[in-house]
C-alpha cells in the first residue's frame, strides 16, 4: 500500500503500471491504481483511450473527472468511501459508454434507491456489488445472461440481483 498518496500523478501511475512510458501511452488499455490512498480522481487526461480503470481500495468518496474517458468500459471502485449521496452527485461524471462498475464495499450498495437511480441513468450498465453471502450480484435492466458486461476477474458466483 502506498501511504500518504492522495492524488493521481504520472509518477504514481508509472509506479503501479511499470510497463507504461511516454512512448506507449496510446497502447495502454488498463490502468491499475488500487491501494494508493487516492481521495480524488484527477490527472487522467492522457489516458482518455483506456478501457479499464482499477481504483479499488482507495479513499474516493465522489467520482470526478471521468466523463472524458470516452472509451472506458469497466471501472473498479470497490472498497472506497462512496456513499449514496456521493454516487448520486457523481452520475454526470461517469463516461457514457461505461459497461460495468464495481461498487463492492461502498456504503452506496446498501441503498437500493441509489442503485436504481444509477441504473436509470445508465440502463445498459452492469453494476457489480458484493453481498453478505460473498456472492457477486449484478443489477441490470437488460439481459443478465450476457457475460460481456462483467470483467473476467468477477466471473465467480455472479447472479442477477433479483435471482432466488
Amino acid at each position: 500500500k502506498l501511504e500518504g498518496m492522495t492524488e493521481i500523478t504520472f509518477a504514481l501511475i508509472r509506479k503501479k503500471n511499470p510497463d507504461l512510458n511516454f512512448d506507449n501511452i496510446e497502447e495502454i488499455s488498463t490502468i491499475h491504481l488500487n491501494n494508493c490512498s487516492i481521495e480524488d480522481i484527477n490527472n487522467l487526461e492522457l489516458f482518455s483511450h483506456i478501457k479499464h480503470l482499477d481504483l479499488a481500495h482507495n479513499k474516493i468518496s465522489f467520482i470526478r473527472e471521468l466523463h472524458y474517458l470516452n472509451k472506458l468500459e469497466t471501472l473498479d471502485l470497490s472498497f472506497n468511501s462512496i456513499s449514496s449521496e456521493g454516487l448520486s452527485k457523481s452520475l454526470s461524471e461517469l463516461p457514457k459508454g461505461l459497461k460495468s462498475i464495481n461498487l463492492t464495499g461502498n456504503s452506496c450498495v446498501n441503498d437500493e434507491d441509489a442503485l436504481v437511480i444509477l441504473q436509470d441513468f445508465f440502463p445498459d450498465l452492469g453494476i457489480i456489488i458484493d453481498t453478505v453471502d460473498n456472492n457477486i450480484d449484478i443489477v441490470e435492466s437488460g439481459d443478465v445472461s450476457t457475460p460481456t458486461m462483467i470483467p473476467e476477474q468477477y466471473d465467480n458466483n455472479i447472479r442477477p440481483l433479483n435471482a432466488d
Side-chain angles (χ1 to χ4, degrees), residues 4 8 23 25 28 41 61 70 83 97 106 108 119 146:
I8 299 170
D23 296 331
I25 284 179
I28 299 294
I41 303 170
S61 55
N70 51 16
S83 66
N106 289 283
C108 64
Q119 193 67 71
T146 307

Side-chain angles (χ1 to χ4, degrees), residues 1-156:
K1 191 167 195 162
L2 301 174
E3 297 298 327
M5 301 299 278
T6 60
E7 77 172 29
I8 299 170
T9 63
F10 192 75
L12 174 63
I13 294 170
R14 292 240 7 235
K15 184 172 189 163
K16 294 289 290 183
N17 303 271
D19 294 337
L20 174 68
N21 59 55
F22 280 113
D23 296 331
N24 70 353
I25 284 179
E26 290 296 319
E27 297 170 17
I28 299 294
S29 65
T30 301
I31 298 285
H32 297 282
L33 291 169
N34 53 314
N35 293 303
C36 294
S37 299
I38 295 168
E39 295 176 2
D40 194 24
I41 303 170
N42 54 17
N43 300 326
L44 291 172
E45 294 85 2
L46 287 174
F47 304 98
S48 61
H49 61 280
I50 63 170
K51 292 183 178 184
H52 313 284
L53 180 58
D54 179 1
L55 291 167
H57 295 274
N58 281 295
K59 299 177 181 179
I60 298 165
S61 55
F62 292 96
I63 304 164
R64 294 190 178 105
E65 295 192 36
L66 291 181
H67 58 275
Y68 57 82
L69 299 178
N70 51 16
K71 299 205 187 293
L72 193 66
E73 295 176 4
T74 61
L75 176 60
D76 188 346
L77 288 167
S78 59
F79 301 100
N80 274 282
S81 302
I82 302 170
S83 66
S84 298
E85 179 184 6
L87 182 62
S88 64
K89 288 183 176 180
S90 302
L91 294 177
S92 64
E93 293 294 322
L94 290 169
K96 300 300 180 219
L98 194 64
K99 293 181 180 178
S100 71
I101 186 169
N102 187 343
L103 294 171
T104 300
N106 289 283
S107 63
C108 64
V109 302
N110 299 318
D111 183 347
E112 192 171 326
D113 291 338
L115 296 176
V116 168
I117 291 169
L118 175 61
Q119 193 67 71
D120 287 346
F121 207 78
F122 293 93
D124 297 323
L125 182 64
I127 303 169
I128 302 170
I129 58 175
D130 189 3
T131 60
V132 292
D133 61 3
N134 292 322
N135 288 317
I136 295 174
D137 290 343
I138 304 171
V139 181
E140 284 189 71
S141 60
D143 178 11
V144 294
S145 65
T146 307
T148 56
M149 301 294 285
I150 302 146
E152 288 179 22
Q153 68 266 35
Y154 303 115
D155 64 1
N156 294 326

